[in-house]
């Protein structure tokens, strides 16, 4: 406990013996930084085991139960949930706030009660997250919330975190813990990378071989040999997949935490696990095997083959049936066209579609756009909007797709804001949490670039030279955890935390950048990581 904290000894009478409980003052300087905190000159609310959480409807009762879990983890006491407010000593959860935008909230801390009024149930949840993160004491302590009014709302509507469960498979419990980590940081989109060359991780009932064959790889390249001329493999089979029942459970778990799960089915590249399962989907017919090494494969779905479109119908229809999300991610990245150029079926398709090389792109780029558009139309018929990587722009996709800008303007990818696309910023220069933090770190991708915490924090999603129209096209910001070189969930946590804290500030807070202030607030978040059992990289 810190000396700066106000510590009062209090005695709770009413038991045969007297128990002394300490009370520790809460601090609203949390991560992400709330927009506006006005502390009253005096007074405070004492949150103790006798306080009840007033929740009048099922959405607020769900919020209250989660908050009770958080409080119990930190203080050891579990507040009760009640329907009606007692005369005093309660925290009331409501969602009738018309003065703030979606996910926003106001908190009024008085001496006898706290009222959290969200714009919606998610807003109330973020208010509760602020109260949770303000707690400074430990087990056995009461919490003293200084009288204040807090007004808060996010900078961006889309606040994402991605986990690659294709390169390495993580069981459902780990995925749920990742979702808890997102929730702690006010993140509301979980981008779930479910398919790739090295593994197909989602059960598709009409295509059983995708998981029978595609979810297993024989072995994996040894990291230290990956960028050498003599690749060596570990001899250890790796596999796993999520049943549709498990996926529904994850979607439900996330929804309770106000997180929408966006599945990614990456096409037409990153499909070798599917080709191994159904070789007729490739240009050469194979044989293919689930890929054992990392990097980009030249084997794509064959755009000239009718069975590929039937395959997409089957997969996307089942995916849309399981995921209620507004968005479905269809990938579109890293698809070299060497096979398509030589494939008679692909070239016949191009001819039938009347495609030609011109200033807008090559025949093969237009073929790629054709298949992406096919997938998008299939999903649009079910009321879904697609997200795709920024290669979508190069290949001529229209502005109905949301662009995930990963290569950033620096590396040659267009970000799309100028040309009217809605964009989520995920630059691999700043927000790729698979890249190591620093020279000499053994965990993570040994790519040339290192991404320390201050680089994450220093990223600005809306550069100063953007026009107002461009700024309005930035839907949000995301951090990605690719797992080629991350093999355990402990390491996923280490790579994500505390970078996710810096990410959450970019996503949520519009306040001017203040790295030193962020570090001070982050130091108070680390005990929460510890209380929840999260692994994280200690601060330098
Ligand atoms: C690029 S991000 C990829 C991923 C890799 C990642 C590694 C993107 C669209 N493609 O397939 O996992 O780099 O950092």
């Amino acid at each position: 406990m810190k000396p700066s904290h106000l510590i009062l000894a209090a005695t709770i009478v009413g038991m045969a013996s007297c128990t002394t409980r300490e009370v520790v003052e809460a601090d609203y300087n949390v991560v992400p930084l709330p927009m506006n905190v006005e502390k009253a000159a005096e007074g405070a609310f004492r949150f103790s085991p006798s306080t009840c959480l007033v929740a009048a409807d099922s959405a607020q009762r769900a919020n209250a139960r989660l908050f009770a879990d958080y409080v119990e983890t930190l203080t050891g006491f579990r507040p009760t949930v009640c329907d009606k407010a007692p005369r005093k000593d309660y925290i009331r959860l409501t969602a009738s706030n018309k003065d703030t935008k979606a996910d926003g909230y106001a908190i009024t801390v008085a001496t006898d009660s706290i009222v959290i009024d969200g714009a919606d149930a998610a807003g109330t949840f973020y208010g509760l997250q602020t109260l949770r993160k303000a707690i400074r004491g430990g087990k056995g302590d009461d919490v003293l919330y200084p009288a204040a009014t807090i007004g808060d709302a996010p900078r961006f509507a889309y606040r994402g975190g991605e986990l690659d469960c294709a390169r390495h498979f993580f069981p459902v419990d780990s995925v749920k813990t990742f979702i808890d980590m997102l929730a702690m940081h006010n993140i509301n989109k979980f981008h779930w990378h479910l398919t790739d060359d090295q593994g197909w991780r989602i059960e598709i009932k009409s295509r059983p071989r995708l998981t029978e064959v595609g979810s297993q790889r024989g072995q994996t390249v040894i990291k230290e040999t990956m960028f050498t001329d003599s690749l060596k493999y570990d001899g250890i089979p790796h596999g796993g997949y999520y049943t549709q029942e498990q996926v529904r459970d994850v979607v439900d778990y996330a929804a309770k935490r106000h997180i929408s799960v966006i599945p990614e089915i990456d096409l037409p590249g990153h499909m070798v696990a599917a080709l191994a399962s159904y070789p007729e989907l490739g240009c050469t017919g194979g044989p293919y095997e689930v890929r054992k090494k990392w990097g980009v494969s030249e084997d794509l779905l064959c755009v000239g083959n009718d069975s590929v479109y039937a395959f997409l119908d089957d997969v996307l229809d089942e995916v849309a049936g399981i995921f209620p999300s507004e968005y479905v991610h269809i990938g579109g990245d890293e698809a070299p066209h060497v096979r398509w150029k030589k494939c008679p079926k692909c070239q016949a398709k191009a001819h039938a579609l009347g495609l030609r090389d011109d200033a807008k792109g090559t025949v093969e780029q237009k073929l790629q756009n054709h298949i992406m558009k096919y997938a998008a139309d299939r999903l649009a018929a079910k009321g879904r909007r697609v997200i795709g990587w920024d290669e979508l722009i190069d290949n001529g996709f229209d502005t109905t797709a949301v662009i995930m800008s990963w290569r950033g303007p620096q590396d040659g990818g267009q970000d799309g804001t100028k040309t009217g696309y809605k964009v989520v910023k995920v630059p691999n220069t700043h927000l790729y949490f698979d890249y190591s933090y620093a020279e000499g770190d053994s965990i993570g991708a040994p790519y040339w670039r290192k991404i320390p915490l201050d680089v994450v924090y220093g990223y600005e999603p809306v550069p100063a030279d953007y026009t107002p129209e461009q700024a309005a096209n930035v839907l949000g910001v995301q951090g990605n955890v690719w797992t080629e070189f991350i093999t355990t969930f402990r390491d996923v946590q280490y790579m994500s935390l505390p970078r996710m804290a810096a990410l959450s500030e970019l996503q949520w807070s519009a306040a001017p950048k203040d790295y030193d202030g962020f570090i001070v607030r982050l130091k108070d978040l680390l005990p929460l990581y510890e209380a929840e059992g999260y692994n994280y990289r200690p601060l330098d």
Side-chain angles (χ1 to χ4, degrees):
M1 206 171 296
K2 293 186 194 162
S4 61
H5 289 142
L6 173 69
I7 300 167
L8 302 170
T11 307
I12 296 179
V13 194
M15 292 178 241
S17 61
C18 293
T19 312
T20 303
R21 295 182 65 88
E22 284 187 340
V23 54
V24 180
E25 190 172 289
D27 183 348
Y28 304 123
N29 281 310
V30 301
V31 177
L33 184 66
M35 196 161 69
N36 187 26
V37 177
E38 276 172 47
K39 274 171 87 169
E42 56 183 35
F45 175 80
R46 181 173 181 143
F47 182 30
S48 77
S50 66
T51 306
C52 90
L53 308 177
V54 185
D57 59 36
S58 62
Q60 295 303 350
R61 274 192 292 277
N63 276 340
R65 278 192 291 272
L66 287 170
F67 183 62
D69 289 344
Y70 302 147
V71 170
E72 189 173 15
T73 300
L74 292 172
T75 68
F77 73 79
R78 185 178 181 84
T80 52
V81 182
C82 52
D83 292 341
K84 286 210 181 71
R87 213 166 42 80
K88 58 184 178 61
D89 196 12
Y90 61 86
I91 299 177
R92 186 204 291 275
L93 282 51
T94 57
S96 61
N97 193 330
K98 302 273 175 285
D99 301 328
T100 184
K101 60 177 172 177
D103 298 345
Y105 64 88
I107 301 178
T108 309
V109 182
T111 52
D112 60 350
S113 65
I114 297 180
V115 175
I116 308 175
D117 194 16
D120 39 40
T124 319
F125 180 70
Y126 297 122
L128 290 167
Q129 288 290 354
T130 294
L131 291 185
R132 169 202 193 185
K133 286 179 273 191
I135 294 174
R136 292 290 176 269
K139 287 263 156 71
D141 297 335
D142 288 356
V143 183
L144 196 70
Y145 287 107
T149 53
I150 301 171
D152 198 10
R155 181 177 180 196
F156 294 107
Y158 185 115
R159 305 180 300 279
E162 183 255 19
L163 181 61
D164 171 10
C165 292
R167 271 52 174 273
H168 280 96
F169 175 76
F170 302 99
V172 167
D173 281 350
S174 301
V175 174
K176 287 182 174 173
T177 302
F178 190 76
I179 288 168
D180 285 327
M181 289 156 54
L182 297 177
M184 181 189 270
H185 296 89
N186 299 12
I187 294 174
N188 65 350
K189 306 280 188 254
F190 170 42
H191 168 176
W192 200 3
H193 188 75
L194 285 164
T195 67
D196 217 302
D197 297 323
Q198 297 84 5
W200 184 283
R201 306 283 174 227
I202 178 171
E203 176 190 26
I204 301 294
K205 292 187 197 280
S206 58
R207 299 283 172 157
R209 286 176 63 81
L210 286 173
T211 42
E212 284 164 16
V213 176
S215 74
Q216 303 291 327
R217 67 172 176 264
Q219 51 181 340
T220 304
V221 68
I222 293 170
K223 173 174 169 177
E224 288 69 26
T225 72
M226 178 68 209
F227 299 102
T228 68
D229 295 334
S230 50
L231 299 189
K232 290 198 174 57
Y233 294 85
D234 64 4
I236 305 168
H238 182 85
Y241 68 92
Y242 310 101
T243 65
Q244 292 196 359
E245 203 184 337
Q246 288 175 318
V247 170
R248 287 183 207 276
D249 179 41
V250 167
V251 167
D252 180 61
Y253 188 89
K256 288 204 173 74
R257 288 149 184 82
H258 304 280
I259 293 172
S260 143
V261 184
I262 300 172
E264 182 184 355
I265 305 297
D266 199 348
L267 62 113
H270 290 275
M271 268 285 169
V272 175
L275 300 184
S277 312
Y278 296 100
E280 67 273 18
L281 300 176
C283 293
T284 64
Y288 305 99
E289 60 174 7
V290 180
R291 205 167 145 96
K292 300 174 296 197
K293 63 177 180 184
W294 316 121
V296 176
S297 170
E298 292 179 349
D299 289 306
L300 320 181
L301 292 174
C302 173
V303 274
N305 189 336
D306 289 344
S307 67
V308 164
Y309 298 88
F311 168 78
L312 289 179
D313 291 350
D314 287 348
V315 170
L316 297 176
D317 288 359
E318 287 193 41
V319 164
I322 316 166
F323 292 92
S325 56
E326 175 187 2
Y327 298 111
V328 174
H329 200 309
I330 55 173
D333 58 316
E334 297 178 326
H337 296 145
V338 276
R339 298 268 189 272
W340 289 0
K341 279 202 175 100
K342 293 202 192 116
C343 169
K345 283 191 214 159
C346 291
Q347 292 305 318
K349 182 82 175 184
H351 186 73
L353 292 170
L355 306 183
R356 288 200 204 330
D357 288 339
D358 60 24
K360 287 190 182 148
T362 64
V363 163
E364 288 73 27
Q365 284 183 301
K366 292 174 187 180
L367 280 173
Q368 179 158 344
N369 197 48
H370 172 76
I371 193 169
M372 299 313 285
K373 194 69 189 152
Y374 181 89
D377 287 347
R378 188 84 189 179
L379 290 161
K382 296 184 183 298
R384 308 316 170 82
R385 187 162 178 197
V386 294
I387 301 182
W389 300 111
D390 56 41
E391 284 93 335
L392 246 58
I393 304 178
D394 302 348
N395 297 325
F397 206 100
D398 59 62
T399 54
T400 57
V402 169
I403 298 301
M404 250 184 200
S405 170
W406 71 280
R407 292 173 299 170
Q410 301 94 328
D411 289 353
Q414 292 183 54
D415 77 9
T417 52
K418 232 185 203 154
T419 37
Y421 295 90
K422 292 287 179 217
V423 173
V424 175
K425 299 288 191 91
V426 204
N428 64 352
T429 47
H430 297 72
L431 302 180
Y432 269 36
F433 298 166
D434 55 323
Y435 288 54
S436 304
Y437 287 84
E439 212 59 61
D441 270 23
S442 60
I443 307 175
Y447 304 137
W448 60 275
R449 191 180 282 129
K450 308 292 166 208
I451 306 187
L453 186 62
D454 60 339
V455 168
V456 177
Y457 184 84
Y459 178 64
E460 176 43 59
V462 182
D465 62 0
Y466 269 22
T467 64
E469 292 74 27
Q470 276 182 280
N473 283 337
V474 181
L475 257 191
V477 188
Q478 179 170 293
N480 287 349
V481 187
W482 301 104
T483 60
E484 288 95 332
F485 302 102
I486 304 177
T487 58
T488 68
F489 190 65
R490 293 284 292 166
D491 287 354
V492 167
Q493 292 187 322
Y494 182 93
M495 298 304 283
S496 308
L497 303 176
R499 289 192 283 203
M500 200 182 272
L503 170 70
S504 80
E505 294 255 322
L506 307 179
Q507 295 172 324
W508 185 275
S509 168
K513 293 253 163 67
D514 168 16
Y515 187 67
D516 294 341
F518 165 69
I519 292 295
V520 169
R521 288 178 290 112
L522 177 59
K523 282 182 180 158
D524 284 321
L525 185 61
L526 301 181
L528 270 76
Y529 291 171
E530 269 159 37
E532 295 290 344
Y534 300 161
N535 190 26
Y536 63 93
R537 186 179 196 272
L539 301 184
D540 286 327

